[in-house]
């Protein structure tokens, strides 16, 4: 959770075509841009260097850069997003990653894997199978990172939840913020778990970024819990990303 860099991409006007599980109305580009600026400012306030890519109108969901790649200290890996409209985002991200990394690998397929299903902790890489990520994608990732000494553990994203990290986030080397429904699957044995408050499951997708924890605003009980636990919390507007099932982690690649 200590990072010197982040990559973000501005939302474009095609954001109104972004994918969503349930239609709760079209996101407003203007409000999304304000929230996005707040988010970028919070990342920058920790001293990190933040690359802000211009909007890519061909890919309505490309503001959610996290799904296109996995960034590790040893190298970056372009993912293979498991939904047709997002598949091309990985190839778009590759040249950008090459500006920072000598080594950029790719998931070639036939499997699929979205960055949102990957939680990297200090001891392992957890990857949830989901509607976007399958066993073959996870196997290919496992082979790629084995040489760098990482162990990949396959877990399950709860049914009806978009990504594994929709329901959890890493807060420090041993602590994970998780919904009760995900924790109930038993996948976090050995970690310290803080549960999102009842009815506030939608704030589980937070990020620890250097000294800050960024969390969507509007979840007061969980916010208090995190503040009481000693985290330096920054609450960021997320109403428009939430209409497209996005949260804090989706909006950046961090390394
Ligand atoms: C999608 O369905 O792919 C986007 N509307 C939301 C992606 C959110 N990304 C993430 O959780 N990592």
């Amino acid at each position: 959770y200590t990072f010197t860099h982040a990559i973000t991409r501005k939302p474009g006007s095609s954001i109104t075509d972004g994918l969503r599980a349930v239609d709760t109305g079209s996101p407003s580009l203007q409000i999304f841009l304000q929230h996005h600026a707040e988010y970028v400012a919070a990342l920058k306030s920790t001293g990190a260097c933040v690359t802000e890519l211009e909007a890519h109108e061909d890919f309505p969901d490309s503001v959610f850069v996290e799904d296109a790649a996995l960034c590790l200290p040893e190298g970056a890996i372009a993912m293979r997003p498991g939904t047709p409209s997002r598949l091309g985002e990985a190839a778009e991200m590759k040249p950008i990653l090459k500006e920072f990394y000598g080594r950029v690998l790719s998931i070639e397929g036939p499997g699929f894997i979205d960055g949102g299903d990957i939680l990297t902790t200090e001891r392992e890489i957890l990857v949830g199978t989901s509607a976007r990520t399958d066993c073959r994608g996870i196997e290919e990732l496992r082979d790629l990172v084995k040489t760098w000494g990482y162990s990949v553990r396959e877990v399950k994203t709860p049914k009806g939840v978009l990504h594994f990290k929709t329901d959890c986030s890493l807060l420090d080397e041993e602590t994970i913020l998780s919904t009760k429904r995900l924790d109930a699957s038993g996948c976090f044995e050995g970690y310290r778990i803080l549960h999102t408050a009842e009815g506030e499951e939608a704030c589980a997708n937070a990020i620890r970024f250097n000294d800050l924890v960024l969390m969507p605003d509007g979840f007061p009980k969980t916010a208090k819990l995190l503040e009481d636990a000693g985290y330096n919390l920054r609450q960021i507007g997320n109403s428009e990303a939430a209409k497209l099932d996005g949260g804090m982690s989706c909006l950046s690649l961090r390394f």
Side-chain angles (χ1 to χ4, degrees), residues 9 53 56 58-59 68 87-97:
R9 188 186 288 284
L53 304 172
H56 197 322
D58 297 348
F59 295 100
L87 190 56
E89 289 180 36
E92 296 287 330
M93 193 52 77
K94 250 187 124 164
I96 295 149
L97 293 168

Side-chain angles (χ1 to χ4, degrees), residues 18-20 61 64 66-67 86 116 132 162-163 166 244-246 249-250:
L19 298 170
R20 64 208 79 176
D61 284 293
F64 304 115
E66 174 182 67
D67 295 316
R86 303 200 62 193
R132 303 281 177 86
L162 176 61
H163 285 129
T166 305
L244 304 177
D245 310 314
S249 78
C250 329

Side-chain angles (χ1 to χ4, degrees), residues 119 168-171 174-178 188 191-194:
L119 183 76
C168 67
S169 358
L170 186 76
L171 293 177
E174 54 158 3
T175 314
I176 291 170
L177 174 68
S178 173
F188 296 133
Y191 291 92
R192 181 169 85 110
I193 304 299
L194 297 179

Side-chain angles (χ1 to χ4, degrees), residues 13-34:
S13 28
S14 66
I15 193 71
T16 47
D17 296 325
L19 298 170
R20 64 208 79 176
V22 180
D23 198 357
T24 58
S26 222
S28 147
L29 176 60
Q30 201 196 334
I31 301 172
F32 205 145
L33 283 167
Q34 281 165 19

Side-chain angles (χ1 to χ4, degrees), residues 171-188:
L171 293 177
D172 58 41
E173 55 281 334
E174 54 158 3
T175 314
I176 291 170
L177 174 68
S178 173
T179 60
K180 282 193 183 146
R181 68 182 166 211
L182 175 58
D183 187 24
S185 72
C187 64
F188 296 133

Side-chain angles (χ1 to χ4, degrees), residues 27 34 38 53 57 81 141 148 159 165 169 180 216 218 221 242:
Q34 281 165 19
E38 246 182 83
L53 304 172
E57 299 293 356
L141 177 69
W148 298 341
K159 253 207 155 68
K165 269 187 299 187
S169 358
K180 282 193 183 146
K221 289 184 249 164

Side-chain angles (χ1 to χ4, degrees), residues 223-243:
K224 182 169 183 324
L225 184 114
L226 293 179
E227 274 170 347
D228 289 351
Y231 295 102
N232 185 5
L233 195 64
R234 193 71 66 83
Q235 297 177 66
I236 309 282
N238 191 58
S239 56
E240 308 316 292
K243 290 176 185 165

